[in-house]
Amino acid sequence: MLELQNITKKFMKGTPDEATLFDNFCFSVEKGEFVSVVGSNGSGKTTMLNLICGTYRPDGGHIVFEGKDITAMPEHRRAAFIGRVFQDPKAGTCSNLTILENMALADNKNKPFGLGRAVNKKRLDVYRTLLERCDMGMENRLQTKVGALSGGQRQALALVIANMTELKLLILDEHTAALDPKSSERIMELTDRFVKDSGITAIMVTHNLRFAVEYGSRLVMMHQGKAILDKAGEEKKNASVDDLLTVFNSISIELGN
């Protein structure tokens, strides 16, 4: 479904500090996979997501999605089929708009603009049903401004919004990192349910090794622009946090830490 073919990515090109993160990097994701990606800071996790979403352009290689080369496709066009939930709960929703208005905007995504009302009241029951799945009481607060919600509620709303359109790929960019432990657990449960119910392909970057082990159908560890560990199927099911810590510790020793 998704292929990163011989990707090269450099930073600070043409300066004495030029650095190459990816050098002929190859990575693929099959339709329906839920890939958990871990790795130390600077390993290339977020850069890979930015390349997939179109935030960054590669300096070499191709990005192919469902057989189509999207390397030159701008970020806003990729947003028609790629959804992204960010680490910052404020990034995926509009603070000054109500829950209802945020959902109405998402509902109209990829539809022609006109002079009709932005909020279709016939859709209220649909919105409430979607919010009830979060079990956070938001279905009774449609007129509440999103800026008044907790971080966990905002991330739950961002997940609902991301799944309101027929996306083909969901990107989860450390989406529990800014939340307290209880909210993080709840958001991961919701994420798992949304992904399984919709059958969507998903890539989740996380620093939480337990989440990486417990959720998803495939586990990838990155280091210095390479995938140094890739487990799926029974290997993924049998993986443990201790296994990942062992690899992390060996990397740390290798780097002299």
Side-chain angles (χ1 to χ4, degrees), residues 5 28 57-58 65 90 96 102 106 120 129 139 143-144 154 159-160 170 200 205 211:
Q5 301 175 345
S28 63
R57 292 280 183 91
F65 191 87
K90 301 183 186 71
N96 293 325
N102 272 268
N120 182 352
T129 299
E139 66 275 11
Q143 298 301 333
T144 299
R154 289 191 71 157
L159 278 171
V160 169
L170 178 62
I200 195 171
V205 163
F211 287 168

Side-chain angles (χ1 to χ4, degrees), residues 23-40:
D23 186 10
N24 289 315
F25 174 67
C26 295
F27 186 74
S28 63
V29 177
E30 297 297 326
K31 185 176 181 180
E33 279 191 317
F34 181 179
V35 187
S36 297
V37 182
V38 297
S40 57

Side-chain angles (χ1 to χ4, degrees), residues 69-141:
D69 192 324
I70 64 169
T71 311
M73 183 182 291
E75 185 174 15
H76 71 274
R77 285 189 56 202
R78 297 189 203 189
F81 53 89
I82 299 177
R84 188 171 187 174
V85 181
F86 294 88
Q87 176 178 339
D88 184 356
K90 301 183 186 71
T93 49
C94 299
S95 299
N96 293 325
L97 299 181
T98 65
I99 294 174
L100 174 59
E101 289 166 340
N102 272 268
M103 296 186 76
L105 283 174
D107 213 6
N108 288 306
K109 182 180 176 182
N110 299 331
K111 295 178 181 177
F113 289 102
L115 296 176
R117 292 183 180 274
V119 176
N120 182 352
K121 292 185 178 180
K122 294 179 181 179
R123 297 282 291 167
L124 291 182
D125 287 341
V126 174
Y127 299 159
R128 289 193 181 99
T129 299
L130 291 171
L131 293 171
E132 281 174 358
R133 299 175 66 193
C134 301
D135 194 25
M136 293 181 175
M138 290 188 291
E139 66 275 11
N140 300 316
R141 301 179 63 188

Side-chain angles (χ1 to χ4, degrees), residues 201-222:
T201 307
I203 303 174
M204 175 179 73
V205 163
T206 179
H207 280 295
N208 189 312
L209 300 185
R210 182 171 63 81
F211 287 168
V213 167
E214 290 183 4
Y215 295 98
S217 58
R218 181 177 165 198
L219 172 60
V220 173
M221 181 183 289
M222 297 189 67

